[in-house]
Amino acid sequence: MTTQVISENFHLAGARNALSKESCMKLYDEWASSYNNDLADASQNYIAPILTAQAAVAASTHTKATVLDAGCGTGLVGEALAKSNSMTIDGADLSPAMLKIAQDTGVYRSLMLCDLTQPIAKDDETYDIITCCGTFTRGHVGPDPALREFVRLTKNGGIIVATILEEIWVSGGYKAEVEKIQAEGLAKVVSTDLKDYRKGAGDKATFLVLEKSA
Ligand SMILES: C[S@@+](CC[C@H](N)C(=O)[O-])C[C@H]1O[C@@H](n2cnc3c(N)ncnc32)[C@H](O)[C@@H]1O
């Protein structure tokens, strides 16, 4: 095993076992400078950001959509979105160091320090698309209030694309919260496909696509 692989596993394990928002933020602040390289390694092959962007483009009818990339990290989803379409992209994340790298990509209109476990300081119906990749995972952000907040911030007919790590889709209450949101008539489930997430490491995620009810 190479030194790089040990480092990747150390950071990822730490992130997924974070016991508090503060420890999660500290971990990402420390990981930020090597995050992209670590997850691009063949042992990880983190393809979720590209699949998230593809799902958002496929599900949206807008050619000039306004997007919130929630839990944007270093900007992998924003970069993938920027390649495939003409979009205006805002980002939000807990880690200042991750946001700094996202800023350097040049693809975000604005970036906001934000805790997704709390209400989000944005107006109702601001975005055509919300993406959230890699942030509904162990030790990070739970389903409530984040999913409802995403629905609130999305325009009628707009799209939410979020990955939820396979092992917590049911046990973490995400599936139940999505069913509740749909039963309340707030949004319709378009799909919940199980897809590769870190293809090199063999883990998968539910790729949730929600459409906000008009
Ligand atoms: C695995 S990274 C995913 C980043 C990016 N979306 C990607 O796919 O590369 C998880 C991100 O969630 C952020 N995060 C963790 N807890 C958060 C919270 N409570 N509020 C907002 N962001 C959070 C971390 O700072 C980190 O950037």
Side-chain angles (χ1 to χ4, degrees), residues 137-180:
T137 183
R138 286 195 279 114
H140 287 50
V141 176
D144 182 29
L147 285 167
R148 269 168 204 277
E149 280 293 276
F150 293 170
V151 172
R152 180 181 70 75
L153 298 183
T154 304
K155 293 178 189 168
N156 291 342
I159 294 291
I160 297 158
V161 179
T163 68
I164 300 104
L165 197 65
E166 179 185 20
E167 67 201 55
I168 60 167
W169 165 240
V170 175
S171 66
Y174 299 88
K175 181 170 184 280
E177 178 65 359
V178 166
E179 285 169 358
K180 224 165 132 191

Side-chain angles (χ1 to χ4, degrees), residues 37-176:
N37 281 343
D38 288 353
L39 290 183
D41 186 87
S43 68
Q44 304 293 304
N45 191 8
Y46 179 50
I47 61 167
I50 287 174
L51 296 183
T52 298
Q54 284 173 351
V57 170
S60 177
T61 52
H62 291 269
T63 47
K64 289 192 187 295
T66 304
V67 184
L68 175 65
D69 184 18
C72 62
T74 56
L76 295 176
V77 174
E79 287 185 297
L81 283 172
K83 269 183 204 145
S84 55
N85 222 322
S86 156
M87 295 186 175
T88 302
I89 311 166
D90 294 337
D93 200 276
L94 183 66
S95 157
M98 297 291 270
L99 284 170
K100 171 73 180 69
I101 293 175
Q103 175 89 57
D104 292 343
T105 66
V107 302
Y108 291 93
R109 172 179 67 176
S110 74
L111 289 157
M112 177 174 87
L113 197 59
C114 154
D115 177 5
L116 293 171
T117 68
Q118 302 295 321
I120 302 168
K122 298 252 184 200
D123 291 339
D124 296 359
E125 298 177 18
T126 299
Y127 292 101
D128 300 303
I129 299 173
I130 296 187
T131 55
C132 184
C133 177
T135 303
F136 289 132
T137 183
R138 286 195 279 114
H140 287 50
V141 176
D144 182 29
L147 285 167
R148 269 168 204 277
E149 280 293 276
F150 293 170
V151 172
R152 180 181 70 75
L153 298 183
T154 304
K155 293 178 189 168
N156 291 342
I159 294 291
I160 297 158
V161 179
T163 68
I164 300 104
L165 197 65
E166 179 185 20
E167 67 201 55
I168 60 167
W169 165 240
V170 175
S171 66
Y174 299 88
K175 181 170 184 280

